[in-house]
Structures are given as C-alpha cells and as structure tokens.
Amino acid sequence: MSTLPPRAGRRCHNAINPLHSTVYFSPDLGKELGELGIDDSNAAYFAARSAAMGAVGPGTVTAAFYNFNHDLVTRHLPAVWSVASPQAVLDARLRAADTTLRRLLGEEIIASPELAEAAELALRAAQGCTRHARPLYAAHADLPVPKEPHLAYWHAGTLLREHRGDGHLAALMTAGLDPLEALVSHTATGKGMNPRWVLATRGWQRDDWDAACERLRGRGLLDAEGELTEAGVALRAELEGATDRMDAAPYEHLGAEGVERLTELARGYLFTAASAGAFPDDLMGKG
C-alpha cells in the first residue's frame, strides 16, 4: 500500500519533467550539436536523447521512443554516429543544459541552496528507480552524475523522466494503443502536444493522423468531433493510473515529506523557466 497521497508521484513528475525537456526546445542544443556537424533538428533530437544507449540504430530508437515514424528515424540513424560519437553528443547535451538552465533560471537560482536541495532530493528519489524493462532509464542511469547542482538536478530529472516514460510505454501497449493512437488520444485530453507539432516532429502525415482517429472511433474511444468518449476518458485515466503504479518506487523511496518539498521547489523552477520563454506558445492543445 502506498504511503503517499494520491497522485503525489505524478504531480512531482509533472513539475520536474518539463524543466528537463527545456533543453530539447533550446537553441543552445542546436548550437552545440551544430558545432559537431549535426545540423538537422530531428537528427539532433534522436542523437541527444539516444546517445546514452551508444551508437544505436533506428530499430532501437523507434522501439524506445515509441511514437516516432520509423521512416523518419531511419533517415538519421545510424548515419548521425558517423558525424559525432555518442560521447561527444552527451558532452554537447550537458553543455546545452548548462547554458539553457542558466539563461532560464538566472544565476541567483543556479547558485542557491534551494537548487542544491532540489538536486539532492531528486537524486535520492532516483535511487528508487529500477532498470529492468526500462532501456532509456537504464542507459542514463549508467552516466555519471554531474557535480554542479543545477546539472545534477537536470540529470536526476532525466532519470525520473525516462523511468516513468519506459513504464508508460508498457501501459500503452497493454491498452492496445499504437504510437499514433497514443498521440491522438493524448492530444484529445487537451494536455497533449498540438497536432501540428506532432506532424512536424514525429514523421507522420495528416492521413496517418486521420486514420488513427478512425481506428479510435471504431473502438468507441473518440467521437465524430475528435473528442474522447466516456470510454476514451476512462482509458486515458487508467493509462495514467497504471503508469503511476509502475512509477511509484522512486517517490515511495523519497517519502511523502521529500516528495512534497521536491514538488514545491520544482514547480517554482518550472514557472520561472516557462515565464522566460522556455516553451513554444502553441506547443500544447487540441489544434
């Protein structure tokens, strides 16, 4: 039985994960990888997020990332590793995280004891993560923890993000949602990525999106207007509940008081970053 309030782990994740994600929207990542010769934004994303697994091919990335069109992945992998090694990419990604966080949070927060406290709490939570059946988490767990508190916090955010993400993919498969059906149903909640962003970054075409909508309608999960039905709402709720259960260990390890404090600190940093323009204005929404 959980010792935490309901959805406490999810709330903590939702505060930490977006700050981790800022690096993927940051011009600093493009600059750092561009200096290595990786100029394409899709290639940069695939390389930066998969480099912890080594010089993997497109099959591994399609499997681990789940919602990208395999044809898009094959355009960039394994070719990107002939341009820059995984270690060079990891080093560049960490430099980008450093520059991005300093710009978004400011030097006063970067140097604060509260950020060092947040890093310690997040790393302690990550000690409760498990490697089995979690390839992206496990690969990142093998990386060294940066010494600087803001980078240690970002690294811990990476671990917690990928740990939950790996579990979420298991929940999606159990629910019978293929990669694009997962994206369509998430967008229909109003909390997912805008369809324009999905189509621009995931390698799918509008016809693919429409076909996924039809499949979901056929299962009674989406109505004619593209809204979730009662069954669709229930399925998405069960997906998140199943993900919560598979992701409970790090937050149980940290304990209720630590989770509450980490969530409080993380929300403050996320608000500061978002206010500084960390994310595109049209990133989220139904369309």
Side-chain angles (χ1 to χ4, degrees), residues 68-131:
F68 286 81
N69 188 319
H70 183 63
D71 291 342
L72 175 63
V73 182
T74 60
R75 289 177 211 162
H76 303 290
L77 293 174
V80 72
W81 307 124
S82 67
V83 178
S85 70
Q87 187 59 55
V89 170
L90 288 171
D91 292 342
R93 186 180 71 164
L94 196 61
R95 291 194 299 271
D98 178 41
T99 305
T100 299
L101 291 177
R102 289 181 185 278
R103 173 168 48 81
L104 294 176
L105 298 181
E107 293 298 332
E108 183 176 347
I109 289 178
I110 293 294
S112 68
E114 289 80 12
L115 186 53
E117 179 189 4
E120 190 275 329
L121 289 169
L123 288 169
R124 196 192 319 162
Q127 292 173 355
C129 294
T130 56
R131 284 180 168 82

Side-chain angles (χ1 to χ4, degrees), residues 29-174:
L29 182 63
K31 177 179 179 294
E32 290 288 350
L33 292 182
E35 291 178 357
L36 298 180
I38 304 174
D39 298 319
D40 184 278
S41 59
N42 287 312
Y45 178 81
F46 294 143
R49 193 168 170 218
S50 71
M53 296 189 290
V56 293
T60 300
V61 168
T62 300
F65 288 17
Y66 196 75
N67 58 29
F68 286 81
N69 188 319
H70 183 63
D71 291 342
L72 175 63
V73 182
T74 60
R75 289 177 211 162
H76 303 290
L77 293 174
V80 72
W81 307 124
S82 67
V83 178
S85 70
Q87 187 59 55
V89 170
L90 288 171
D91 292 342
R93 186 180 71 164
L94 196 61
R95 291 194 299 271
D98 178 41
T99 305
T100 299
L101 291 177
R102 289 181 185 278
R103 173 168 48 81
L104 294 176
L105 298 181
E107 293 298 332
E108 183 176 347
I109 289 178
I110 293 294
S112 68
E114 289 80 12
L115 186 53
E117 179 189 4
E120 190 275 329
L121 289 169
L123 288 169
R124 196 192 319 162
Q127 292 173 355
C129 294
T130 56
R131 284 180 168 82
H132 46 274
R134 287 184 163 92
L136 273 172
Y137 161 74
H140 284 90
D142 287 343
L143 300 178
V145 178
K147 293 181 180 180
E148 299 88 341
H150 66 294
L151 294 179
Y153 179 68
W154 185 84
H155 173 75
T158 306
L159 300 180
L160 295 170
R161 165 200 171 97
E162 302 298 8
H163 186 268
R164 184 177 180 88
D166 286 336
H168 188 61
L169 301 191
L172 290 173
M173 293 186 70
T174 301

